[in-house]
Amino acid sequence: MEGYSFELITGPMSCGKTEELLRRVRRCIIAKKKVKVISPDVDTRTKGDYIESRNGLWLDAIKVKHSIQILSFVKPDDEVIAIDELQFFDGNITKVISKLMNEGKKVIGTGLELDFKAEPFGHMPELMCIATKVDKLHAVCMKCGCEHATRTQRLIDGKPADKNSPLIMIGGDETYEARCIKCYELPDNHPEKSKQGLKILPFVK
């Protein structure tokens, strides 16, 4: 039975997450499944109520501010719930998806697993744990051209962003690009800020 499942599509910017989400949703539509598409309103790259991949594919979507609002839009006869950009949702998103699965829904979601500092992004670690299937996509490194880019490089005025810059800055190709581990850069121009709250745990034999 297709319900009671959560398929999570993750990876860096420009790896085709939304494109893959749309492909799976369109297959569900062809199979005459009742589908609902959700997107966080913090993602302002699209100017209307829809989600769009970088290759121009798009689908109408409901924009929500808080994850708990998703439940108010999902109807009993909805069979597939697609949620884009999961990393932007608040802490209730894990409970919301768990509830949808328990109600027999098939949930398909996308999200950046790592932020621009190569650290776990938002509640993605929890979502990866409850997912029944996880697909980690790779992108093409925009610096060396290898096909194993797993990092999202933030660029400000064409240069790698400092590690102390704000976590969330909505952008596209002009502010972010995919990089492999070798080409990924994270300069620390203000080391005194980075030291605040840093604790080194003692080694225990």
Side-chain angles (χ1 to χ4, degrees):
M1 189 173 180
E2 287 194 1
Y4 302 96
S5 65
F6 172 33
E7 299 176 2
L8 180 58
I9 307 162
T10 187
M13 293 282 284
S14 304
C15 71
K17 296 185 298 298
T18 300
E19 180 181 350
E20 175 61 17
L21 175 70
L22 293 175
R23 186 189 72 83
R24 297 186 192 185
V25 167
R26 290 186 186 279
R27 286 176 62 88
C28 292
I29 293 173
I30 292 172
K32 301 188 184 305
K33 303 288 186 182
K34 292 194 174 182
V35 180
K36 193 140 287 176
V37 182
I38 307 291
S39 177
D41 68 357
V42 69
D43 186 359
T44 56
R45 289 173 298 174
T46 58
K47 301 304 180 182
D49 291 340
Y50 61 91
I51 60 173
E52 183 178 16
S53 66
R54 292 175 184 274
N55 66 354
L57 298 176
W58 65 276
L59 272 178
D60 290 331
I62 298 170
K63 295 293 183 77
V64 299
K65 185 176 181 63
H66 304 293
S67 57
I68 201 72
Q69 291 177 289
I70 295 173
L71 298 177
S72 65
F73 288 107
V74 174
K75 305 305 179 185
D77 59 347
D78 288 330
E79 299 170 271
V80 179
I81 313 301
I83 310 175
D84 201 27
E85 304 291 358
L86 284 165
Q87 76 277 358
F88 290 140
F89 283 99
D90 57 80
N92 284 320
I93 189 62
T94 304
K95 294 179 180 178
V96 167
I97 291 179
S98 295
K99 180 174 174 57
L100 292 173
M101 282 196 290
N102 291 334
E103 292 176 352
K105 313 296 185 185
K106 176 178 181 177
V107 182
I108 310 173
T110 73
L112 288 166
E113 59 182 328
L114 300 174
D115 60 25
F116 82 98
K117 294 186 287 186
E119 296 177 351
F121 203 149
H123 297 276
M124 286 297 291
E126 299 169 25
L127 295 174
M128 293 177 76
C129 287
I130 69 169
T132 54
K133 178 183 179 182
V134 177
D135 290 302
K136 298 181 69 171
L137 306 183
H138 291 174
V140 174
C141 178
M142 298 302 291
K143 190 169 184 179
C144 73
C146 82
E147 298 182 7
H148 304 289
T150 58
R151 300 291 188 265
T152 297
Q153 180 74 64
R154 176 184 287 174
L155 299 174
I156 298 179
D157 295 327
K159 298 179 180 180
D162 181 78
K163 68 183 299 182
N164 297 298
S165 61
L167 177 60
I168 297 178
M169 292 174 63
I170 307 298
D173 291 330
E174 76 282 3
T175 51
Y176 295 92
E177 65 180 29
R179 294 275 184 97
C180 65
I181 294 176
K182 181 182 70 173
C183 296
Y184 170 76
E185 302 173 71
L186 187 65
D188 187 359
N189 298 323
H190 303 281
E192 67 281 357
K193 292 185 179 180
S194 301
K195 292 179 181 178
Q196 294 179 5
L198 180 63
K199 296 181 179 179
I200 306 299
L201 297 178
F203 178 73
V204 179
K205 294 183 178 180

